[in-house]
Amino acid sequence: LDFLLPMFQLKGKTYDLDASHYMFKPMFRVDHPRRAVWKTARQVGKTQQLAASKVLRSITYAHFNVLLVCPRFEQIKRISNNYVKPLLQESPYRDYLIYSKEKEEQSVLQRTFGNGSIHYYSFAFLDADRIRSISVSDIAVDETQDMNWDFIPIIAETMSGSPVFHNQIYLGTPKT
């Protein structure tokens, strides 16, 4: 789906996987593996590429629900407000991509797309209870190195009611 990236702008420039982000190209493939783990260095753009790939999948597939999880609220708020929101608001196709605020939910913890797809944003540092009632087709966990591993199966169960996809992506930076 990386050929669709030019429909977005980032900091006034057309979005692309230029020479410094070529390694993230597999994140934009249509045929994702069921599970993927991305262990990368700090400040290489993994969260930005994750946000762009999930937005592209959400606008490509109608009613495609995604759950993005981080350990802490501040981290998930950053993804929603600093990565996803600008992609949508700066796009020349904005009016076609998202519902207006009057019609549907647009908040830090949920963004609704024009085709009925939804992004849910949540956090699970101390427990995963707030995630239990969400139903999605795809999950992404960022800052996985700080997650409690006991919560991963609970997070994955949010996909159990979905007839399609069930893709899981885990991103993080090793601490050792």
Side-chain angles (χ1 to χ4, degrees):
L1 298 175
D2 60 324
F3 71 93
L4 294 172
L5 283 173
M7 72 185 322
F8 298 114
Q9 290 187 353
L10 187 62
K11 298 177 183 174
K13 296 181 182 177
T14 301
Y15 199 110
D16 66 9
L17 295 174
D18 60 14
S20 60
H21 293 101
Y22 66 90
M23 67 285 234
F24 293 108
K25 219 169 168 94
M27 213 180 270
F28 295 89
R29 291 179 51 177
V30 173
D31 57 339
H32 271 222
R34 287 275 195 202
R35 252 186 226 125
V37 176
W38 288 73
K39 293 180 359 178
T40 68
R42 293 178 36 77
Q43 303 300 316
V44 295
K46 67 181 170 292
T47 303
Q48 181 64 62
Q49 305 313 323
L50 171 70
S53 72
K54 294 306 173 189
V55 166
L56 278 178
R57 287 174 73 85
S58 296
I59 63 174
T60 304
Y61 305 114
H63 306 286
F64 180 78
N65 296 344
V66 177
L67 171 62
L68 293 102
V69 181
C70 284
R72 294 177 181 81
F73 174 72
E74 295 80 16
Q75 294 166 317
I76 204 64
K77 178 181 170 186
R78 200 172 301 128
I79 290 174
S80 180
N81 283 342
N82 297 356
Y83 295 99
V84 175
K85 185 178 177 181
L87 277 178
L88 296 171
Q89 289 191 337
E90 294 177 24
S91 173
Y93 304 98
R94 175 184 178 209
D95 294 339
Y96 302 105
L97 299 178
I98 56 176
Y99 282 126
S100 68
K101 288 186 179 193
E102 296 79 34
K103 290 182 183 176
E104 292 293 334
E105 180 76 20
Q106 299 297 333
S107 70
V108 170
L109 296 178
Q110 182 174 324
R111 300 207 179 273
T112 304
F113 294 82
N115 64 358
S117 293
I118 300 172
H119 276 195
Y120 297 100
Y121 303 90
S122 195
F123 54 101
F125 185 67
L126 298 176
D127 64 62
D129 287 345
R130 73 182 47 78
I131 292 171
R132 290 184 186 267
S133 64
I134 298 172
S135 179
V136 297
S137 300
D138 201 270
I139 64 169
V141 179
D142 196 10
E143 304 300 342
T144 306
Q145 75 278 0
D146 294 330
M147 291 292 294
N148 180 334
W149 290 101
D150 294 337
F151 300 160
I152 299 297
I154 297 167
I155 295 167
E157 278 302 309
T158 60
M159 298 182 297
S160 64
S162 175
V164 294
F165 299 108
H166 299 118
N167 298 29
Q168 303 171 46
I169 185 168
Y170 301 93
L171 295 97
T173 303
K175 290 186 167 183
T176 59

